[in-house]
Amino acid sequence: MPSENIDWEALGRLRNEVLAANLELAARGLVLYTFGNASGIDRTSGLVAIKPSGVPYAELRAEDLPVFSLEGKLVEGDLKPSTDLDTHLHLYREFAGIGGVAHTHSEYATAWAQAGRPIPAYGTTHADYFHGPVPVTAPLSDAEIAGDYVLNTGVAITRIFASGAIDPMAVPAALVAGHAPFAWGRTPGEASHHAAVLESVARMAYFTEALHPDCGPVSRVLLDRHNSRKHGATKTYGQG
Amino acid sequence: MPSENIDWEALGRLRNEVLAANLELAARGLVLYTFGNASGIDRTSGLVAIKPSGVPYAELRAEDLPVFSLEGKLVEGDLKPSTDLDTHLHLYREFAGIGGVAHTHSEYATAWAQAGRPIPAYGTTHADYFHGPVPVTAPLSDAEIAGDYVLNTGVAITRIFASGAIDPMAVPAALVAGHAPFAWGRTPGEASHHAAVLESVARMAYFTEALHPDCGPVSRVLLDRHNSRKHGATKTYGQG
Amino acid sequence: MPSENIDWEALGRLRNEVLAANLELAARGLVLYTFGNASGIDRTSGLVAIKPSGVPYAELRAEDLPVFSLEGKLVEGDLKPSTDLDTHLHLYREFAGIGGVAHTHSEYATAWAQAGRPIPAYGTTHADYFHGPVPVTAPLSDAEIAGDYVLNTGVAITRIFASGAIDPMAVPAALVAGHAPFAWGRTPGEASHHAAVLESVARMAYFTEALHPDCGPVSRVLLDRHNSRKHGATKTYGQG
Amino acid sequence: MPSENIDWEALGRLRNEVLAANLELAARGLVLYTFGNASGIDRTSGLVAIKPSGVPYAELRAEDLPVFSLEGKLVEGDLKPSTDLDTHLHLYREFAGIGGVAHTHSEYATAWAQAGRPIPAYGTTHADYFHGPVPVTAPLSDAEIAGDYVLNTGVAITRIFASGAIDPMAVPAALVAGHAPFAWGRTPGEASHHAAVLESVARMAYFTEALHPDCGPVSRVLLDRHNSRKHGATKTYGQG
């Protein structure tokens, strides 16, 4: 995209939102040192802004966030992007409704990912945000790891949603087996919010199993009821 | 209630107390984002003030708390109430001695609720506040969930106290199966205080079972002794 | 003790030390609300200063700490003492080398107490401070609970040290079954320091058992070696 | 080393780096009271600066850090060094590539050490920093404990790396059985950074086993892939 075709005002807004989403990850204690990253997309232009790689959260500035096309071409910025960029871009290409992605190594969600287990919907906190279990990918094959590993991480995520017929807007997070969680939302801020709630839900599910090893999930009726309180036409939560 | 019949000074005091009780939930780390809510009742007028739905704790103002009659009629305020309002109102109607209710998704108490288990009285910290196990409701039926769900949540709570002949002033909290805890007290502040102690008690009971899987509760004699140190005619705790 | 016989300067120093020891419990996150208490003794006069009952830590002032004789006679102060006073006094009477006592409901140490289990010496952190397992009392009998309960709590502690031939200066803490820990030291500050280390040791022992359910304690040789690095004639730790 | 041969500017830089590394341990919550210590070496001069024994972190000053030759001769400073000095010196003598060492009793890593278990590589967070399990030493023999105990602690570490043909630059930490972790790096700051990541990895491995008791490690291919993203010629992480 030639520089004169860029809507600089829209890009500035996007970078500010992405900066705030990254700072939210740090403020909520979801990231250690430079771990983790959040990104956002401007669907009009198709531009994606993302955290630069290895930069401490306290030093992030909006204008330093590198910007890429949806196909991964650098459009603007001097810093190298998060090494997870290609996972983010794949999610934006495949999940048309999302506007932000957040990746952390938050400790309980990561433990579920390392254990290779989906997080069951054990209660209404889960149901309020995730309309069913938070799925875990299959382990990547050796060829997928040796090949375009970061892209393939995204492919593993979208594959589990496709094969399970899961709506990514209804279950806005996934666990990558042996790795860590990715969360998303309509905006970068919502993606980070979902990453924070996911960690709380992961903790409570962990505690629940310790207290009741063969605990079953909440009923489908309760799952639907709570999810519909926060989302869609029947939403009653909030002031909107 | 016509506006000219409202005791505005009493209502202002109530709102201030309810605001403080809500802020206490946030200060004690019992709530994430806009989760949770506290309310209070002025027993003279029967008016109930409650947290508005979906408003961040840091932005709460006393005058923004919506006010309702005990039957759920809006009396004053522009913001929509917590979606849990009908649970609170039911508790005020059924438990005559209470003046405040606090609801959180604090993580250990919620895990006990998700596991569908009452919290046993494993020690004197528990006994100081809860004169017996903290009960858990039965799961709501599909009809109860599909019907007046929020009210039915309150009904499930009062039903377990009635069927178990539990005095709600002696055990000022309950776990809603698959959902989370509700706590109450003579004032809104006491309700939040009880919510905080409940979480600590829930944590310690969780740890106790890991250390001693078939641990029994403290003896009835010790339970009575500790409870009476903090409550009633034989109270020795505090300066009062 | 007639007021004119009181060494007011020494008493002021004692109260300041006891105030600092109480504030340390709060600063280290060992106490919730008004839970817990620390005291100190001036061995010259036999006077004991202790936290008043039910006063928030943030509101404590040195001059408000009530002062008692070793036999429990009020010597000075307007506020009621901690309800645990008689446990503290018994420990001072029986353990001649101690100058301070700290009591908390810190959550992991309390869980061990609720589980009725001594904390094994699983590592050198433990050995640095506690020269052997931290013992747990037997449960109090119904008669002991119904009788002079607070005093009998202290008796249960000193009984386990006597029956086990444990030196209270070498193992400066105990768990009261079904209740919580007491720690002590040569000064009030050391008592609170030991209460904080006890909680850390209790956490690590809890985690250790989860990782290695039939883990044995460290060897006697390692226990002795580490303990002697911090204590006694062979001490090498610190600048003293 | 005669004082006139000391490069005082280089020594000042070293002390500043070691001070910062020590403060990092405190800032990350890895140390309680005066527990733990970090050191650094100037490979040109062979001088080692280390935390003085028993000094609170808040009171540390760069000029107070005692300085030793690689053989343990005091070169400069009035304060006694950490009692763990001889372990640090041994690591500097044996691991030629390291420039800093950090020792903590951080609670989860210590629990693995107390359990006598290496930390398996359960995920990519681990792989990013530790190219294989974090090894645990064999327990020291009674003779080793009774003899030059602190030196022998270092010998136990280097022995496990030698016998396992582990590259200390690829796995920059070890657990001392029944004791606690040591971490190292090319600089004092990197050593403390590794100590903080080790604690996070230790927590996540603990949680992973609870969720999946017979979980296996990540594949060798994934371990290699992630490690090479952060290290060596194929490094893609960061701006460097």
Side-chain angles (χ1 to χ4, degrees):
Chain A
M1 180 180 293
S3 167
E4 60 271 27
N5 291 358
I6 295 179
D7 178 346
W8 289 99
E9 200 179 316
L11 189 58
R13 279 197 304 271
L14 177 65
R15 275 173 159 167
N16 283 334
E17 279 183 67
V18 174
L19 174 64
N22 275 289
L23 296 183
E24 177 72 2
L25 298 182
R28 295 285 163 181
L30 304 173
V31 289
L32 179 63
Y33 291 117
T34 62
F35 293 16
N37 42 73
S39 69
I41 187 168
D42 173 359
R43 287 286 180 186
T44 305
S45 63
L47 295 184
V48 173
I50 192 166
K51 180 174 180 290
S53 183
V55 175
Y57 285 89
E59 298 171 16
L60 283 182
R61 297 184 311 167
E63 63 267 34
D64 291 340
L65 301 183
V67 177
F68 292 84
S69 74
L70 207 40
E71 290 71 40
K73 191 155 172 276
L74 177 67
V75 172
E76 155 76 14
D78 298 323
L79 296 180
K80 287 167 57 183
S82 160
T83 53
D84 297 306
L85 171 65
D86 287 350
T87 309
H88 290 241
L89 294 178
H90 180 76
L91 295 177
Y92 288 124
R93 287 190 301 261
E94 296 293 315
F95 294 164
I98 71 175
V101 172
H103 169 55
T104 78
H105 289 205
S106 70
E107 294 182 351
Y108 281 87
T110 298
W112 284 91
Q114 292 188 162
R117 295 187 53 198
I119 305 177
Y122 283 136
T124 62
T125 323
H126 186 118
D128 283 339
Y129 283 89
F130 305 104
H131 195 199
V134 175
V136 66
T137 68
L140 270 64
S141 70
D142 287 359
E144 287 171 324
I145 294 167
D148 205 343
Y149 169 65
V150 181
L151 172 66
N152 289 336
T153 296
V155 172
I157 293 173
T158 57
R159 192 188 293 147
I160 196 85
F161 277 72
S163 70
I166 308 169
D167 175 2
M169 303 314 286
V171 180
L175 308 175
V176 178
H179 185 165
F182 282 80
W184 48 82
R186 286 165 300 177
T187 62
E190 198 177 78
S192 292
H193 183 102
H194 289 164
V197 173
L198 178 65
E199 179 66 4
S200 179
V201 161
R203 266 196 297 268
M204 294 196 291
Y206 177 99
F207 304 151
T208 299
E209 292 200 354
L211 291 170
H212 187 170
D214 55 350
C215 191
V218 293
S219 70
R220 188 75 213 179
V221 176
L222 186 58
L223 186 70
D224 292 349
R225 178 73 181 196
H226 258 267
N227 205 258
S228 68
R229 289 173 75 187
K230 286 230 172 178
H231 306 281
T234 55
K235 173 183 164 185
T236 57
Y237 191 88
Q239 300 298 328
Chain B
M1 181 180 291
S3 168
E4 61 270 26
N5 292 357
I6 294 179
D7 177 345
W8 289 98
E9 199 180 316
L11 188 59
R13 278 196 305 271
L14 176 66
R15 275 173 158 166
N16 283 334
E17 279 182 66
V18 173
L19 174 64
N22 275 289
L23 296 183
E24 178 71 3
L25 299 181
R28 295 285 163 181
L30 304 173
V31 289
L32 179 64
Y33 291 117
T34 63
F35 293 16
N37 43 72
S39 69
I41 188 168
D42 173 0
R43 287 285 179 187
T44 306
S45 63
L47 295 183
V48 173
I50 191 166
K51 180 174 181 290
S53 184
V55 175
Y57 285 89
E59 298 171 16
L60 283 182
R61 297 184 310 169
E63 62 268 34
D64 291 339
L65 301 183
V67 178
F68 293 84
S69 75
L70 207 40
E71 290 72 40
K73 191 155 172 275
L74 177 67
V75 172
E76 156 76 15
D78 298 324
L79 295 179
K80 288 167 55 184
S82 160
T83 53
D84 298 307
L85 172 65
D86 288 350
T87 309
H88 290 241
L89 294 178
H90 180 76
L91 295 177
Y92 289 124
R93 288 191 300 261
E94 296 293 315
F95 293 165
I98 71 175
V101 172
H103 169 54
T104 78
H105 289 205
S106 69
E107 295 182 350
Y108 281 86
T110 299
W112 285 91
Q114 292 189 163
R117 295 187 53 197
I119 305 176
Y122 283 135
T124 61
T125 323
H126 186 118
D128 283 339
Y129 282 89
F130 305 104
H131 195 199
V134 176
V136 65
T137 68
L140 270 62
S141 70
D142 287 359
E144 287 172 324
I145 294 167
D148 204 343
Y149 169 65
V150 182
L151 173 65
N152 290 336
T153 296
V155 171
I157 294 173
T158 57
R159 192 190 292 147
I160 196 83
F161 277 72
S163 70
I166 309 169
D167 174 1
M169 303 314 286
V171 181
L175 308 175
V176 178
H179 185 164
F182 281 81
W184 47 81
R186 286 164 301 176
T187 63
E190 198 178 77
S192 292
H193 183 101
H194 289 163
V197 173
L198 177 65
E199 179 66 4
S200 179
V201 161
R203 265 196 298 268
M204 294 195 292
Y206 177 99
F207 303 150
T208 299
E209 291 200 353
L211 291 171
H212 188 170
D214 55 349
C215 190
V218 293
S219 70
R220 188 77 214 178
V221 176
L222 186 58
L223 187 69
D224 292 349
R225 179 72 182 198
H226 258 266
N227 205 259
S228 68
R229 288 173 75 187
K230 284 230 173 179
H231 306 282
T234 55
K235 173 183 163 184
T236 57
Y237 191 88
Q239 301 298 327
Chain C
M1 182 181 291
S3 169
E4 61 270 26
N5 292 358
I6 294 179
D7 177 346
W8 288 99
E9 200 179 315
L11 189 59
R13 278 197 304 271
L14 176 66
R15 275 172 158 167
N16 283 334
E17 279 183 66
V18 173
L19 173 64
N22 275 288
L23 296 183
E24 177 71 3
L25 298 181
R28 295 284 164 181
L30 305 173
V31 290
L32 180 63
Y33 291 117
T34 62
F35 293 16
N37 41 73
S39 69
I41 188 167
D42 173 359
R43 287 286 179 187
T44 306
S45 64
L47 296 184
V48 172
I50 191 166
K51 181 175 180 290
S53 183
V55 175
Y57 285 88
E59 298 171 16
L60 283 182
R61 297 185 308 169
E63 62 267 35
D64 291 339
L65 301 182
V67 177
F68 292 83
S69 75
L70 206 40
E71 290 71 41
K73 191 153 173 278
L74 177 67
V75 172
E76 155 75 15
D78 298 323
L79 296 179
K80 287 167 58 183
S82 160
T83 53
D84 297 306
L85 172 65
D86 288 350
T87 309
H88 290 240
L89 294 178
H90 180 77
L91 294 176
Y92 289 123
R93 288 190 300 261
E94 296 293 315
F95 294 163
I98 71 176
V101 172
H103 169 53
T104 79
H105 290 204
S106 69
E107 294 182 351
Y108 281 85
T110 298
W112 284 92
Q114 292 189 162
R117 294 187 52 198
I119 305 177
Y122 283 135
T124 61
T125 324
H126 186 118
D128 283 339
Y129 283 89
F130 306 103
H131 196 198
V134 176
V136 65
T137 68
L140 269 64
S141 70
D142 287 0
E144 287 171 325
I145 295 167
D148 203 342
Y149 169 65
V150 181
L151 173 65
N152 290 336
T153 296
V155 171
I157 294 173
T158 56
R159 193 190 290 146
I160 196 84
F161 277 72
S163 70
I166 309 168
D167 173 3
M169 303 314 285
V171 180
L175 308 175
V176 178
H179 186 163
F182 282 80
W184 48 82
R186 285 164 301 175
T187 63
E190 198 178 75
S192 292
H193 183 100
H194 289 164
V197 173
L198 177 66
E199 179 65 4
S200 179
V201 161
R203 267 197 296 269
M204 294 196 290
Y206 177 99
F207 304 151
T208 299
E209 292 200 353
L211 291 170
H212 188 169
D214 54 349
C215 191
V218 293
S219 70
R220 188 76 213 179
V221 175
L222 187 59
L223 187 69
D224 292 349
R225 178 73 181 196
H226 259 267
N227 205 259
S228 68
R229 287 173 75 188
K230 285 229 173 180
H231 306 282
T234 56
K235 173 182 163 184
T236 57
Y237 191 87
Q239 300 299 328
Chain D
M1 182 180 291
S3 169
E4 61 271 27
N5 291 358
I6 295 178
D7 177 345
W8 288 98
E9 200 180 315
L11 189 59
R13 278 196 305 272
L14 177 66
R15 276 173 158 165
N16 283 334
E17 280 183 67
V18 173
L19 174 64
N22 276 289
L23 296 182
E24 177 71 3
L25 299 181
R28 296 284 163 180
L30 304 173
V31 289
L32 179 64
Y33 292 117
T34 62
F35 293 16
N37 42 72
S39 69
I41 188 168
D42 173 358
R43 287 287 179 185
T44 306
S45 63
L47 295 184
V48 173
I50 192 166
K51 180 174 180 290
S53 183
V55 175
Y57 285 89
E59 298 171 16
L60 283 182
R61 297 185 310 169
E63 63 266 36
D64 292 338
L65 300 183
V67 178
F68 291 84
S69 73
L70 207 39
E71 290 71 39
K73 190 155 173 277
L74 177 68
V75 171
E76 155 75 17
D78 298 323
L79 295 179
K80 287 166 58 183
S82 159
T83 53
D84 297 305
L85 171 65
D86 287 350
T87 309
H88 291 241
L89 294 177
H90 180 77
L91 294 176
Y92 288 123
R93 288 189 301 259
E94 296 293 315
F95 294 164
I98 70 176
V101 172
H103 169 53
T104 78
H105 289 204
S106 69
E107 294 182 352
Y108 281 86
T110 299
W112 284 92
Q114 292 189 162
R117 293 187 54 199
I119 305 177
Y122 283 136
T124 62
T125 324
H126 186 117
D128 283 339
Y129 283 89
F130 306 103
H131 197 198
V134 175
V136 65
T137 68
L140 270 63
S141 69
D142 287 0
E144 287 171 325
I145 295 168
D148 204 342
Y149 169 65
V150 182
L151 173 66
N152 289 336
T153 296
V155 171
I157 294 174
T158 56
R159 193 189 291 147
I160 196 84
F161 278 71
S163 69
I166 309 169
D167 174 3
M169 303 314 286
V171 181
L175 308 175
V176 178
H179 185 165
F182 282 79
W184 48 82
R186 285 165 301 178
T187 63
E190 198 178 78
S192 292
H193 183 100
H194 289 164
V197 173
L198 177 66
E199 179 66 4
S200 179
V201 161
R203 266 196 297 268
M204 295 196 290
Y206 177 99
F207 303 152
T208 299
E209 292 201 353
L211 291 171
H212 188 168
D214 55 350
C215 191
V218 293
S219 70
R220 188 77 212 178
V221 176
L222 187 57
L223 186 70
D224 291 349
R225 178 74 182 195
H226 259 266
N227 205 259
S228 68
R229 289 173 74 188
K230 285 229 173 181
H231 306 281
T234 55
K235 174 182 164 186
T236 57
Y237 191 88
Q239 301 298 328

